[in-house]
Amino acid sequence: MAHLLKNLTNSIWHAFHALQADATNTVAKSKLKVLTANIGTLMDLYGVEKGLEHYRSTQSLTFDQYIYYLQKEVFSSVTDATSVQTLKTMEEGVDEICWLVCKKIYLERSHSVFNDHSVYQLFRIYCLLAETDSDATDSYLVIMHGDEVARIASHLVMSLGLQWDAADFSALSVAIGTFRFPTFLAVLESKYSGGNTLDVMALSEAIDDLYQIYIENVVKKGYLMKKGFLLPTLRYFWFILRPGELTYYKDPQQKEPSGLILLNANCWADTVTNGGKPDRRFVLSTPEHRCIELMAEDHKGRLQWLAALQTAIQHSSEKIGYQRSLANQRRSLRQAIKQEKEETKLELQHERQARIAAEIQARKLETLSKEEGAKVQQLEDVKQKLELLLQEEKQALRDEEIVRSLQARVLREEWEKREQLERLQQEQQELLEMEKMKRMEFEQMQKQNEQQLQNAELRLQHLEAEREHLDTELRTAREKVKRAEEAQFLLEAQIVTRPLRGSERIRRTQSFIPTTKERPLSIEKIDSRSMTIQKNI
């Protein structure tokens, strides 16, 4: 069964730790073979240690590897059909083997108070209540929680008749931190064993009482009166109640029990009334013994025994062990509380962060509110300005309407003026056309005048040439006249000087008088012709 190896893991770890030769957290296979052979012999398995030679290729194993080998090769032979008593015997035998391996380390103490057997009993109690943890190197550590140490120490102190100081132990637990077995043993011996005032026998009885409660799962023990089966008389017996069984002895020193009552889920305990009044008696009903009548010393004892019987009946079918089950519950509760504290711590951190964030957000919001207030004031100012601008715009719109009406009127007037201008432009265009026509006519007339002028100039030139020719002829004629006059004068002079004959005088006279064709123009005619040319020019 898997829980058997789980119950023995702590004691096997102590043996494994005692076999370590260095700080590598490994043990040589040769040493583990001896431990494995002893465990296998206890469980009627022979030769299981030989498999270590072929298990992994290394010469040493870590604790995890060794536990895995035990689970697969040794404890796999334990099945669910194995009885609870057999499991208890195996567990006790393996614890004794592991104690033989590691006891030398724990029994060598400078100031020993407990005897060796008591130390062994405390060792088994420690392995029952301790839990595994890992250190910085990820190796196993078997430690006991401070609450469990306080439970054992307080029970030991009260069993010795001393006073328990919870506050002092809390301070001590905080100072120590983790309780390994040497620390656990040293704390009990040095602080909670009563020192030299108590004898060894009292300490042994107190530790034996602890051993019975935690290892042997004794729920309750004490004297009860039992009614016999054959003779209905009440006799005192020493009863020891465990989950699943109620054993009674003639006295506490008796080794063999006088009787054994098996308990299961079909059993129950109930009170007995005496005429409607509470009685010290109670009845235990079982399928085998029918009804067993018991009687406590007082009413308080009766109630305690009834509660203890109910607990023993409820846990009668458990194979894990009553105290181990309670220890697991306390461990689960501590883990839950630790997780809750961590969650609470995380929640507090989150709340602190949220509060800081909220404060920052509040400051931001305050800043934003101030900024918003300033913006609102600015917006109010802007609003007032906008209202003024709106009024001005409305006034401007009204003015614009007036201006638009004026512009419309001006536009109409401009259209009218434009129409007038267009008419004037058209008239001007017409005038320009007329002017253009007149200009063209004038140009034509000017061309004609120029042509006429050119013709006149040509004629003038011709007339000039003609005038020059006429002037030349005039000069020539004047010279001829002059010569004629001179000749006439000479002739007259000659005539005066000698008389001619008539015929000769006539010839001479005719020879000097020009003919009509050769007669030059008179000066008056020439002058009149030059005047006419000048007029034409």
Side-chain angles (χ1 to χ4, degrees):
M1 296 177 68
H3 69 269
L4 177 61
L5 179 59
K6 185 177 181 181
N7 296 343
L8 294 171
T9 301
N10 292 341
S11 58
I12 295 173
W13 181 87
H14 282 90
F16 186 90
H17 180 68
L19 294 175
Q20 289 181 4
D22 50 19
T24 59
N25 296 323
T26 59
V27 177
K29 289 182 179 180
S30 58
K31 295 181 180 180
L32 294 176
K33 283 181 181 180
V34 179
L35 178 61
T36 308
N38 289 325
I39 295 175
T41 302
L42 178 67
M43 301 177 66
D44 294 331
L45 299 173
Y46 300 96
V48 292
E49 72 279 2
K50 296 179 181 180
L52 286 171
E53 296 178 357
H54 307 288
Y55 175 63
R56 303 184 70 87
S57 60
T58 57
Q59 295 298 321
S60 59
L61 298 177
T62 62
F63 182 70
D64 288 335
Q65 296 167 355
Y66 182 61
I67 287 294
Y68 182 79
Y69 178 79
L70 291 179
Q71 181 182 359
K72 296 298 181 181
E73 300 296 333
V74 180
F75 288 92
S76 60
S77 62
V78 181
T79 62
D80 294 337
T82 307
S83 63
V84 177
Q85 188 62 36
T86 304
L87 293 175
K88 289 181 179 179
T89 303
M90 289 182 180
E91 184 175 345
E92 183 177 359
V94 174
D95 283 344
E96 288 180 357
I97 293 171
C98 294
W99 174 247
L100 289 174
V101 175
C102 64
K103 69 177 183 178
K104 184 178 180 181
I105 302 174
Y106 303 125
L107 292 180
E108 293 179 355
R109 307 184 305 279
S110 58
H111 302 284
S112 60
V113 177
F114 304 137
N115 57 31
D116 294 350
H117 182 66
S118 297
V119 175
Y120 167 67
Q121 289 178 330
L122 290 174
F123 171 76
R124 292 201 67 190
I125 294 172
Y126 181 88
C127 292
L128 173 69
L129 300 178
E131 53 192 61
T132 58
D133 195 5
S134 59
D135 58 3
T137 60
D138 293 334
S139 61
Y140 270 98
L141 285 178
V142 177
I143 59 174
M144 183 184 285
H145 195 271
D147 294 343
E148 302 294 342
V149 178
R151 184 182 298 274
I152 299 298
S154 62
H155 194 282
L156 178 62
V157 167
M158 287 186 289
S159 298
L160 296 174
L162 303 175
Q163 188 175 1
W164 170 250
D165 189 353
D168 180 66
F169 179 80
S170 297
L172 179 65
S173 177
V174 172
I176 294 175
T178 58
F179 289 89
R180 298 180 67 177
F181 181 67
T183 308
F184 167 73
L185 187 61
V187 168
L188 292 182
E189 284 186 326
S190 62
K191 195 171 182 63
Y192 299 107
S193 61
N196 298 323
T197 59
L198 297 175
D199 57 358
V200 179
M201 185 61 68
L203 289 174
S204 299
E205 290 179 357
I207 294 174
D208 189 64
D209 188 37
L210 283 172
Y211 186 81
Q212 289 180 3
I213 292 173
Y214 287 96
I215 301 302
E216 296 179 359
N217 291 316
V218 174
V219 179
K220 188 171 177 58
K221 59 183 179 179
Y223 282 103
L224 287 175
M225 296 184 70
K226 177 182 175 295
K227 189 175 183 180
F229 291 104
L230 298 177
L231 297 176
T233 58
L234 294 173
R235 293 180 59 189
Y236 272 104
F237 288 96
W238 177 259
F239 282 84
I240 296 178
L241 178 63
R242 296 182 180 89
E245 64 180 24
L246 177 63
T247 310
Y248 54 94
Y249 303 83
K250 290 181 181 180
D251 54 62
Q253 287 75 29
Q254 185 180 356
K255 300 299 181 181
E256 295 297 327
S258 300
L260 175 64
I261 303 172
L262 297 178
L263 303 177
N264 54 37
N266 297 322
C267 301
W268 70 91
D270 199 359
T271 59
V272 176
T273 58
N274 184 12
K277 296 181 181 180
D279 198 353
R280 292 182 298 164
R281 294 177 298 168
F282 58 95
V283 177
L284 175 63
S285 299
T286 63
E288 294 82 5
H289 298 89
R290 303 286 178 86
C291 294
I292 302 170
E293 186 175 341
L294 303 170
M295 187 173 66
E297 295 180 354
D298 52 14
H299 296 292
K300 180 180 178 181
R302 179 177 64 88
L303 294 176
Q304 291 176 352
W305 274 103
L306 285 173
L309 284 169
Q310 187 66 29
T311 301
I313 291 171
Q314 288 178 357
H315 296 274
S316 60
S317 60
E318 291 183 356
K319 293 186 177 181
I320 192 173
Y322 173 61
Q323 289 296 333
R324 195 179 297 275
S325 176
L326 293 180
N328 291 336
Q329 291 178 8
R330 292 194 296 270
R331 188 177 299 118
S332 300
L333 181 61
R334 287 195 299 269
Q335 291 177 356
I337 292 173
K338 182 179 179 181
Q339 185 177 1
E340 185 178 357
K341 287 181 178 179
E342 290 178 355
E343 292 177 355
T344 305
K345 185 177 180 181
L346 291 175
E347 289 179 358
L348 290 174
Q349 290 178 356
H350 292 321
E351 288 179 359
R352 189 179 297 108
Q353 292 175 358
R355 186 186 64 193
I356 294 172
E359 290 177 356
I360 295 172
Q361 187 68 22
R363 288 195 291 269
K364 289 182 178 179
L365 290 175
E366 185 178 0
T367 305
L368 289 175
S369 63
K370 291 181 180 179
E371 293 178 356
E372 290 294 332
K375 289 182 179 179
V376 168
Q377 186 64 35
Q378 292 178 359
L379 290 175
E380 290 292 334
D381 297 338
V382 171
K383 181 181 177 182
Q384 293 178 359
K385 292 180 180 179
L386 289 176
E387 288 178 352
L388 293 174
L389 292 174
L390 183 61
Q391 293 178 359
E392 293 177 357
E393 187 175 358
K394 288 181 179 179
Q395 185 65 34
L397 288 175
R398 289 192 293 268
D399 297 339
E400 186 178 359
E401 289 294 330
I402 296 171
V403 171
R404 284 182 179 178
S405 61
L406 293 173
Q407 285 179 349
R409 187 174 65 185
V410 171
L411 187 61
R412 287 194 299 270
E413 294 177 355
E414 286 181 354
W415 277 105
E416 293 175 356
K417 291 181 179 180
R418 183 176 180 181
E419 290 177 354
Q420 293 178 359
L421 289 173
E422 287 179 353
R423 287 195 299 271
L424 292 173
Q425 186 177 6
Q426 187 176 3
E427 293 176 355
Q428 288 180 356
Q429 189 69 25
E430 292 176 355
L431 292 174
L432 287 173
E433 290 293 334
M434 293 175 64
E435 187 68 25
K436 187 176 180 180
M437 294 297 294
K438 290 180 179 180
R439 184 176 179 181
M440 291 174 65
E441 292 178 356
F442 178 75
E443 287 178 353
Q444 290 178 358
M445 291 177 66
Q446 188 175 3
K447 288 180 180 180
Q448 291 178 359
N449 292 330
E450 288 178 355
Q451 186 66 34
Q452 291 178 0
L453 181 59
Q454 291 176 359
N455 294 331
E457 287 179 353
L458 291 174
R459 188 175 179 184
L460 180 61
Q461 292 176 359
H462 180 69
L463 291 175
E464 284 290 332
E466 186 178 358
R467 186 179 63 82
E468 290 178 356
H469 179 68
L470 292 175
D471 288 339
T472 304
E473 289 181 351
L474 178 59
R475 284 193 299 270
T476 305
R478 285 180 176 178
E479 289 178 358
K480 287 180 177 180
V481 170
K482 186 177 181 180
R483 283 194 304 270
E485 289 179 353
E486 290 178 354
Q488 186 178 3
F489 180 72
L490 291 175
L491 183 55
E492 289 177 357
Q494 290 175 2
I495 295 174
V496 172
T497 57
R498 123 187 127 74
L500 296 177
R501 289 179 295 249
S503 61
E504 187 181 0
R505 190 187 308 149
I506 292 168
R507 279 192 308 269
R508 288 184 180 180
T509 305
Q510 287 178 352
S511 62
F512 286 105
I513 296 171
T515 61
T516 306
K517 292 179 181 182
E518 295 177 359
R519 186 179 296 172
L521 295 174
S522 64
I523 296 171
E524 291 81 4
K525 287 182 180 182
I526 292 171
D527 292 333
S528 64
R529 184 178 290 181
S530 46
M531 290 295 291
T532 302
I533 291 170
Q534 289 178 355
K535 282 183 180 180
N536 290 332
I537 293 170

